[in-house]
Amino acid sequence: MAWRSLELARNNSVIVAVSGGADSTALLAGLDELIKSKKLDVRLIVAHLNHKLRGQVSDADARWVSEFSRQLGYQFIGRSIDVKRLAKRTGNNLEQAARRARYDFLKKTATSRKAKLILSAHTLDDQAETVLLNLLRGSGTDGLAGMEPVRKMDSKSNLIIARPLLTWAKRSDTESYCRARGIDFRVDEMNANEAFARVRVRTQVLPLLKTFNPKVEEAISRAAEILREDNSALDAAAERLLEYSGVTLSSPNQKQAAIRADLLRIAQPALRRRALRQWLSVNRGDLRRIERAHISAIENLLFSPKSGRLVELPGGGVVTRKAGCLHYVGKKPERRTNQRTHT
């Protein structure tokens, strides 16, 4: 069983994210079955974020999840957020804004309840859609590796997010399980709205790919798993390169803003770029809005014969090169008279 790999401690608090759709409802009902059959001993807390995207229907979904949780005997924690307003304020699209709001809510809920594990109901279908969308965007191996079955929520905490259904269950399986249990799950009409790229992948691209391989979701998931393994090996090699260059990623909460340029110059391009991304992540806290063009510009600094040049990054960070090193500063340095800058 997928839950055994999580090595859950007895009577630990576990947050389960439930939207009311078939996938998350099946996850909750399955966990409930395991708990009541004495095969799993944890304290479940049901978490639901109302995105306010469908007015009264969204409110009805929240009430349904609350009532279903009560019927099963589990604590329910619900919150609401206006995702449209959030997206407008942050400049993200609706999907990005909803995702960030959801994970922020889950993290806060887990922290307040002293839970160390969050369970999410992503399936094989979700994995296939995610990988295909990332491929269409031109993502590298990180994006093509898809979602991880188990990962840390972020580098600053020990909070774990796990997706027990990701490697084996399809959406049709969760719907069938709910029907077999007599559970009338909620249906989100936005999942059929082809204005969203993910829905078009679901309704147009995947059915076409199934004419080539009826088990295309499993094939994509298998490819993503291979890429995750390759990524782990490359990450370890890049971390070693950074250590030789003067940066120790394992030092907790330690920003290391200078890095030797000579070793990076002679490294293989793929390894060098991965090391630069890791270095930026340590200093910035994340890699949001960092694109291939930014990494390429930093590489150009490495091979430039002149010092004093700089690359401006999204959010105000700057990378400069001087005295044989790359330096990261949180904001653009003061411009001196007659100093030339290049982006």
Side-chain angles (χ1 to χ4, degrees):
M1 295 294 291
W3 59 267
R4 287 177 180 164
S5 65
L6 300 176
E7 299 180 353
L8 299 176
R10 291 172 61 86
N11 209 34
N12 267 0
S13 293
V14 174
I15 307 297
V16 55
V18 181
S19 67
D23 297 343
S24 59
T25 299
L27 175 60
L28 175 57
L31 291 167
D32 175 66
E33 185 176 338
L34 291 171
I35 289 170
K36 290 175 179 172
S37 63
K38 308 298 183 183
K39 294 179 180 178
L40 188 62
D41 185 10
V42 295
R43 291 194 305 270
L44 281 189
I45 300 170
V46 178
H48 175 88
L49 182 63
N50 181 350
H51 295 129
K52 308 295 286 186
L53 288 173
R54 296 176 295 139
Q56 293 182 352
V57 176
S58 293
D59 296 339
D61 287 350
R63 289 192 297 272
W64 186 91
V65 176
S66 176
E67 176 61 20
F68 184 57
S69 304
R70 187 193 64 78
Q71 290 175 4
L72 295 179
Y74 301 115
Q75 181 182 3
F76 170 81
I77 298 175
R79 297 287 184 273
S80 297
I81 186 169
D82 189 332
V83 168
K84 285 185 179 179
R85 184 177 297 175
L86 178 65
K88 185 176 181 179
R89 187 174 74 243
T90 60
N92 294 317
N93 62 38
L94 278 180
E95 185 177 9
Q96 292 169 333
R99 181 182 182 277
R100 289 177 181 172
R102 182 166 60 251
Y103 282 116
D104 184 57
F105 161 67
L106 292 172
K107 182 178 179 180
K108 289 179 179 177
T109 300
T111 301
S112 68
R113 295 304 185 274
K114 295 182 171 54
K116 296 183 179 179
L117 178 66
I118 296 170
L119 299 181
S120 179
H122 292 98
T123 64
L124 270 172
D125 303 80
D126 296 310
Q127 182 74 298
E129 291 163 12
T130 297
V131 172
L132 288 172
L133 282 168
N134 287 339
L135 176 63
L136 292 171
R137 294 177 184 125
S139 296
T141 53
D142 285 343
L144 298 181
M147 294 178 281
E148 297 176 83
V150 180
R151 69 170 177 85
K152 279 190 174 183
M153 179 66 88
D154 56 52
S155 60
K156 299 178 182 178
S157 74
N158 291 321
L159 184 59
I160 299 295
I161 182 165
R163 302 177 173 99
L165 309 181
L166 186 68
T167 60
W168 62 276
K170 291 186 177 181
R171 195 167 291 122
S172 57
D173 297 321
T174 63
E175 292 175 352
S176 296
Y177 178 74
C178 286
R179 293 189 183 104
R181 289 281 303 267
I183 301 170
D184 189 18
F185 57 86
R186 306 291 290 180
V187 176
D188 185 350
E189 67 273 11
M190 293 182 71
N191 288 331
N193 185 349
E194 294 192 355
F196 296 101
R198 179 176 291 273
V199 176
R200 294 198 299 278
V201 166
R202 181 181 307 148
T203 60
Q204 299 178 29
V205 179
L206 279 169
L208 176 61
L209 292 177
K210 284 183 179 181
T211 65
F212 295 90
N213 182 353
K215 294 187 176 181
V216 66
E217 294 93 346
E218 291 89 341
I220 292 173
S221 177
R222 197 161 53 246
E225 182 180 0
I226 293 169
L227 283 170
R228 285 196 300 274
E229 293 171 351
D230 290 348
N231 265 342
S232 294
L234 285 169
D235 281 341
E239 186 171 342
R240 181 62 60 86
L241 174 60
L242 286 177
E243 288 176 357
Y244 289 145
S245 301
V247 173
T248 304
L249 297 183
S250 58
S251 299
N253 302 319
Q254 183 177 353
K255 293 184 178 181
Q256 304 189 32
I259 183 173
R260 286 174 54 184
D262 53 354
L263 292 178
L264 288 170
R265 278 198 298 269
I266 63 174
Q268 293 181 334
L271 196 58
R272 176 170 62 241
R273 291 168 191 148
R274 188 170 292 259
L276 287 172
R277 287 174 62 84
Q278 290 182 352
W279 176 64
L280 287 178
S281 182
V282 167
N283 286 286
R284 297 175 84 246
D286 59 57
L287 290 172
R288 289 179 184 174
R289 299 170 60 197
I290 295 296
E291 299 178 356
R292 174 74 178 263
H294 301 118
I295 301 299
S296 296
I298 296 173
E299 283 189 289
N300 290 338
L301 283 184
L302 286 171
F303 293 95
S304 172
K306 298 180 181 179
S307 291
R309 300 194 176 204
L310 60 83
V311 173
E312 297 181 40
L313 301 174
V318 172
V319 175
T320 64
R321 177 173 170 262
K322 58 183 178 181
C325 290
L326 291 181
H327 298 264
Y328 177 87
V329 291
K331 62 180 181 179
K332 185 175 178 180
E334 292 293 330
R335 189 172 184 176
R336 296 179 181 176
T337 305
N338 296 327
Q339 182 183 8
R340 297 179 64 191
T341 59
H342 301 263
T343 300

